[in-house]
Amino acid sequence: MQNKKTFEDYGLTPKNGKLTAEQIGKVKGLGFLRDKRYDDVFNVRVITRNGKITTDESRHIARAADLFGSGEIAMTTRQTVEIQGVAYDNIPELISFLEEAGLEPGGTGPKVRPVVSCKGTTCVFGLIDTYALSRKIHERFYVGYHGEVLPHKFKIAVGGCPNSCVKPDLNDLGIVGQKIFGTNLEKCRGCAKCAVEEACPMKAAKTVDGKIHIDESVCNKCGRCVAKCPFGAIEAVGEGYKLCIGGRWGKKTAVGKPISKIFTGEEEILSAIERAIILFRDEGIKGERFADTVGRLGFDYVQKKIIG
């Protein structure tokens, strides 16, 4: 273990009796949330990268829980790891111990929160590399924008396909993987039993006048139809990203609304995310969630700003 750290090293103050509201607030800002059953016991969130940690990091967190907590670990809904039962007096040593493995507490306050991601990279339905994208979002916006104080927390989720297992549309900003494809009617033979029509879970594909037709108002671009036609009537073009804004879960639930544009490159979607965060920072009002900002400014105005 490195040299023992003190409260002063982390801008904190020793206990000296019953904890004050200021002391509790300061450690909350570091990722330590007070266990309401006790005056001076906290559960600490350890940041992961889209829910992933190495086995060495996992062992280090377990050791930290044994040394400084109750020996228990919990998984949060935001894919972070929470060490349970940490006494206030143990906080400096715990932070120092985590730092030895390159780990840190956090994930609280009016900032960009740790990104969550499904396993789209390996899932049979996955359309995009969710782990690669969410890692870039983590580095650029959770780490890179950590010093930016926003009007409220800002949550981001990356879903690999329209199944939306991580509920992207219930986050302040959500990304949904899309399959971009085209229809080649010259190759369509108007089969009596159309493989494309049978494969479509949305019932967006229909044979009309002997040719396959995709209803764009119903199609969710899940890509299940691609390669189903033995004659190649449905052709894959590439991958895309649907961006939903203004969602949230909690006392006031809001379902995010999709931007009209489908983004077609990682850098393009990352730039759009950045414009959304900057808009929220500059035009949001303290205490309001992004859903409220979008509602107050108008979806069309916000969409125009994000598309750039």
Side-chain angles (χ1 to χ4, degrees), residues 131-161:
Y131 284 141
L133 178 59
S134 55
R135 181 62 183 266
K136 290 175 182 177
I137 294 171
H138 174 87
E139 295 297 334
R140 187 177 296 194
F141 303 117
Y142 176 74
V143 177
Y145 273 64
H146 203 62
E148 297 287 346
V149 177
L150 304 177
H152 212 300
K153 57 190 171 186
F154 193 87
K155 296 181 176 181
I156 302 173
V158 181
C161 77

Side-chain angles (χ1 to χ4, degrees), residues 92-166:
E93 288 187 80
L94 171 58
I95 298 175
S96 179
F97 186 78
L98 291 173
E99 288 174 347
E100 292 177 18
L103 296 165
E104 62 176 345
T108 57
K111 300 180 179 183
V112 175
R113 295 293 184 85
V115 63
V116 300
S117 162
C118 75
K119 63 170 193 171
T121 308
T122 58
C123 176
V124 64
F125 298 121
L127 302 175
I128 60 173
D129 189 340
T130 53
Y131 284 141
L133 178 59
S134 55
R135 181 62 183 266
K136 290 175 182 177
I137 294 171
H138 174 87
E139 295 297 334
R140 187 177 296 194
F141 303 117
Y142 176 74
V143 177
Y145 273 64
H146 203 62
E148 297 287 346
V149 177
L150 304 177
H152 212 300
K153 57 190 171 186
F154 193 87
K155 296 181 176 181
I156 302 173
V158 181
C161 77
N163 284 350
S164 298
C165 295
V166 291

Side-chain angles (χ1 to χ4, degrees), residues 145-200:
Y145 273 64
H146 203 62
E148 297 287 346
V149 177
L150 304 177
H152 212 300
K153 57 190 171 186
F154 193 87
K155 296 181 176 181
I156 302 173
V158 181
C161 77
N163 284 350
S164 298
C165 295
V166 291
K167 311 295 186 294
D169 58 352
L170 293 178
N171 283 257
D172 296 281
L173 186 147
I175 297 158
V176 180
Q178 304 276 272
K179 176 65 73 176
I180 301 173
F181 60 88
T183 305
N184 189 333
L185 294 182
E186 291 183 2
K187 294 183 177 180
C188 177
R189 305 246 183 128
C191 300
K193 188 175 182 180
C194 176
V196 172
E197 189 173 338
E198 287 200 335
C200 180

Side-chain angles (χ1 to χ4, degrees), residues 69-81:
S70 65
E72 295 177 305
I73 295 170
M75 307 299 162
T76 74
T77 58
R78 298 293 298 177
Q79 296 181 338
T80 59
V81 179

